[in-house]
Amino acid sequence: SGAFEAFSARLAAGVRAHPDMAGLVLLGSAADSAAHRRDDWSDHDFFAITRSGRGRAVRPDLSWLPEDHRVVLAAREGEIGFAVMYDDGHVLEFAVSDAAELSGAVAGDATVVFDDGDGTVGSFVASAQERAAAADAFDPANDVRLVLVKLLVGVGRARRGEVLVAGSLVRQWAVQHLVRAIRGRFPERSSSLRDEIDPARRFETDFPVEASRIAS
């Protein structure tokens, strides 16, 4: 929508104006290539890439975010990650770091909004997309084996009275492997809407019958 793109533009302006920032990468549905996936629930995922060694100094101050006076909450996710919520419910999930700190990151849809003169951000994104593509290779038979193991272990935990961890094993880990197995077994049914990083994203769109049965 126009409002989403306008926010992206304001975000880019804020990052670009910061003296310690080297580049901005919009990810997921915020990227140009995934604009068709956006809806009312889409948030802004991005990497704010600092100049080399400046990540630690930049992270304590988020005043470069658009309309920072409207931020309701800001939470840290690990050393370099953030989750921010605005007063209208819009959410930002992002990392603030130099390219070296993000050396193991993966990326699917990505738009490099701006880069430094050396192309540091573009090279980093290309490597992150290569890692994502390598991880997006399924082994259905192995994933099914893991489904059975996670179910067995989860039931054992539940019988011990450890219901919370049992639920995680059954509803999260077993389901994740089952989703991977189905996508790997029927790759032709995975549409362009699928997420290369999280195979459970938009699974209902590609496999509506299977998704309903798994959810039940």
Side-chain angles (χ1 to χ4, degrees):
S1 70
F4 192 98
E5 292 168 356
F7 188 94
S8 296
R10 293 195 300 275
L11 174 64
V15 175
R16 192 186 296 270
H18 197 294
D20 285 323
M21 294 293 192
L24 173 66
V25 185
L26 297 178
L27 303 167
S29 59
D32 293 344
S33 58
H36 63 287
R37 296 205 310 252
R38 293 177 198 154
D39 57 24
D40 292 341
W41 299 102
S42 295
D43 55 22
H44 270 85
D45 297 325
F46 61 92
F47 293 141
I49 307 298
T50 70
R51 302 190 186 282
S52 180
R54 296 301 296 162
R56 185 179 296 275
V58 172
R59 286 190 282 268
D61 180 9
L62 299 179
S63 61
W64 47 269
L65 290 174
E67 302 175 73
D68 64 304
H69 62 282
R70 293 180 45 233
V71 171
V72 175
L73 62 84
R76 298 292 292 265
E77 292 191 296
E79 175 64 22
I80 65 176
F82 293 84
V84 167
M85 182 190 299
Y86 280 78
D87 57 10
D88 61 356
H90 191 59
V91 172
L92 317 181
E93 292 185 295
F94 58 96
V96 179
S97 69
D98 63 21
E101 290 179 299
L102 282 165
S103 60
V106 295
D109 290 295
T111 297
V112 178
V113 179
F114 72 94
D115 201 345
D116 64 13
D118 297 324
T120 302
V121 178
S123 297
F124 154 71
V125 169
S127 297
Q129 289 179 319
E130 288 177 3
R131 286 188 289 271
D136 190 38
F138 303 126
D139 181 346
N142 193 66
D143 275 308
V144 166
R145 296 183 190 111
L146 288 170
V147 170
L148 298 175
V149 170
K150 301 303 181 186
L151 289 175
L152 181 62
V153 175
V155 169
R157 298 287 190 274
R159 288 179 173 173
R160 287 177 178 167
E162 300 178 67
V163 178
L164 289 179
V165 71
S168 177
L169 284 160
V170 172
R171 299 189 184 98
Q172 179 179 350
W173 290 103
V175 167
Q176 187 76 1
H177 286 295
L178 183 54
V179 163
R180 289 177 58 87
I182 293 170
R183 284 204 185 275
R185 179 65 179 83
F186 305 102
E188 71 283 355
R189 290 173 57 188
S190 287
S191 69
S192 61
L193 293 175
R194 76 184 186 89
D195 190 314
E196 292 181 347
I197 298 174
D198 184 354
R201 293 294 308 275
R202 290 173 286 279
F203 187 75
E204 292 86 348
T205 301
D206 296 336
F207 300 89
V209 174
E210 293 87 345
S212 177
R213 292 177 64 187
I214 293 170
S216 296

